[in-house]
Amino acid sequence: MPSFRHRALRGLLPLCLAAGLVTLAPTPALASPGSGPTAVVTMGDSYISGEAGRWQGNSLTTSGSRTGTDRAWTGSTYDPSRVYGSSEANGCHRSDSAEVNSAGALTTEQINLACSGATTKNVFRTVSGGVSYKGEAPQADQLAAVAATRDVKLIALSIGGNDLGFADIITTCATDYIVWYSYCHDDQQAVVDAKIDGVMANVGKAVDEIRAVMSGAGYASSDYRIVLQSYPSPIPRAAENRYGESGWTRTNTGGCPFWNLDSDWARDSLVPQIANRLKAVATAKGAQFLDLRDMLQGREVCAKASKQVTSTTPASATTSEWARWIDQNETQGPLQEDMHPNYYGQLALGRCLALINARPTGNFGCRNTAGTGASGMYLTTG
């Protein structure tokens, strides 16, 4: 029961207001779902930022348009900003064909906050230990600004690969093939096993950070969706590689310098292991899961079902490879583009995002249909 003192103060407050003795500060306006333009937001690393979107297949031609594969070719020079826009300057490589841009007009605005090379700590809010990256604020802090002025409907997140050291694994496996004539799968599996629990805990924290931002902006959990996605394999199984294991064709021609055993390990062990663990995180955190492990099946670098681009085999979504090869001499662009879905792969990822956007509940895999472009992508349940 309120005390006499509290009742007296309560009675005096209207009198003070009327006399102008007390001024109440205006209540800050909270962003409310349904106000502002609708938006889909992508966050995370290079597999969702649009890295390698510069390339329409792979060609051995190292000059000019590279047989039509290099979208940065102006006719006289190379201008990667034609593809990556202003993000070319800091290397975030948000391409014009990135997943969120290729998905179509799902909402009024499509916003790409992802940055090539990002780790989970580059997603966390600053107040939770988040770290700026490539001159940009942590992505959750950027999301806060977006959520305050837009009606965010879906947030797609790809993260964890750099925490596990994807680039180092690829480098080690390629070096073991080219230089040391040894396998990488045994020692690299041990590296992954030692890291993966901690990485997945941080992926879960990244989802929590996104939810904290959205809650702080006035959203209920039912007002938006989070889709956590996994990674596709950019190289095929050994039996599906069009180049033999011996000799130098895998290195100098195909751009896929990996031993058969290492290829099979990456395709059928490492990629599924990561996908399964990410699915578990999504389930625990109430997010949808988009499984991309088979997204590039038959379209990988060196896959028998695909072809390199030549003067007689033009760049095509139906025949060209959908992933960027390893260009160890950097004769066709920076190494950071290697082993990522290329322009055609990005279009396919965009279609996957559009498909899961139309499914408000459930977990799905996304696969391609042989001999078709992005329009042939389809979802599988589970």
Side-chain angles (χ1 to χ4, degrees), residues 39-303:
V40 171
V41 181
T42 49
M43 302 175 65
D45 55 30
S46 56
Y47 276 79
I48 201 168
S49 74
E51 185 67 83
R54 171 178 173 176
W55 303 96
Q56 300 179 119
N58 299 306
S59 168
L60 291 170
T61 302
T62 59
S63 61
S65 68
R66 284 78 184 252
T67 325
T69 62
D70 191 350
R71 299 172 61 230
W73 176 244
T74 67
S76 58
T77 188
Y78 303 102
D79 180 11
S81 67
R82 297 180 66 180
V83 174
Y84 300 123
S86 59
S87 69
E88 163 63 17
N90 70 355
C92 279
H93 280 188
R94 302 182 185 103
S95 73
D96 56 359
S97 59
E99 186 174 316
V100 73
N101 296 325
S102 298
L106 306 181
T107 50
T108 305
E109 294 185 18
Q110 292 76 47
I111 300 172
N112 189 354
L113 302 179
C115 184
S116 183
T119 62
T120 50
K121 67 182 179 182
N122 305 129
V123 174
F124 304 160
R125 293 170 298 165
T126 300
V127 296
S128 297
V131 177
S132 297
Y133 185 59
K134 295 185 176 179
E136 299 184 358
Q139 292 177 33
D141 291 339
Q142 296 181 54
L143 175 64
V146 172
T149 55
R150 281 90 161 176
D151 182 12
V152 177
K153 296 297 186 183
L154 186 148
I155 301 163
L157 174 66
S158 170
I159 202 69
N162 291 316
D163 297 69
L164 279 172
F166 265 2
D168 291 338
I169 292 172
I170 290 170
T171 299
T172 298
C173 291
T175 302
D176 283 355
Y177 179 84
I178 297 169
V179 179
W180 302 116
Y181 298 96
S182 61
Y183 297 123
C184 73
H185 63 271
D186 45 3
D187 58 323
Q188 291 305 299
Q189 183 64 64
V191 170
V192 171
D193 289 343
K195 291 181 177 180
I196 198 163
D197 287 347
V199 170
M200 292 302 150
N202 281 338
V203 172
K205 180 179 176 180
V207 176
D208 290 341
E209 290 290 289
I210 291 171
R211 291 213 184 277
V213 166
M214 299 301 286
S215 177
Y219 290 72
S221 59
S222 59
D223 292 326
Y224 66 98
R225 284 188 283 155
I226 297 175
V227 174
L228 179 63
Q229 62 188 52
S230 65
Y231 299 91
S233 174
I235 58 174
R237 299 175 178 89
E240 297 164 354
N241 195 313
R242 64 176 180 266
Y243 302 104
E245 184 177 35
S246 62
W248 291 100
T249 53
R250 285 192 182 181
T251 301
N252 296 332
T253 304
C256 57
F258 304 103
W259 294 109
N260 285 344
L261 288 178
D262 291 340
S263 299
D264 287 344
W265 165 73
R267 180 67 180 84
D268 291 328
S269 181
L270 177 63
V271 169
Q273 178 186 13
I274 295 169
N276 292 337
R277 291 297 300 268
L278 287 170
K279 182 179 180 180
V281 172
T283 300
K285 298 298 181 179
Q288 279 185 280
F289 178 62
L290 180 59
D291 193 342
L292 299 175
R293 73 182 76 185
D294 298 317
M295 194 273 291
L296 293 174
Q297 175 62 39
R299 314 303 187 101
E300 307 100 330
V301 178
C302 297

Side-chain angles (χ1 to χ4, degrees), residues 56-58 66-69 308-310 313-320 344:
Q56 300 179 119
N58 299 306
R66 284 78 184 252
T67 325
T69 62
Q308 287 184 351
V309 179
T310 67
T313 305
S316 167
T318 62
T319 60
S320 300
Y344 297 127

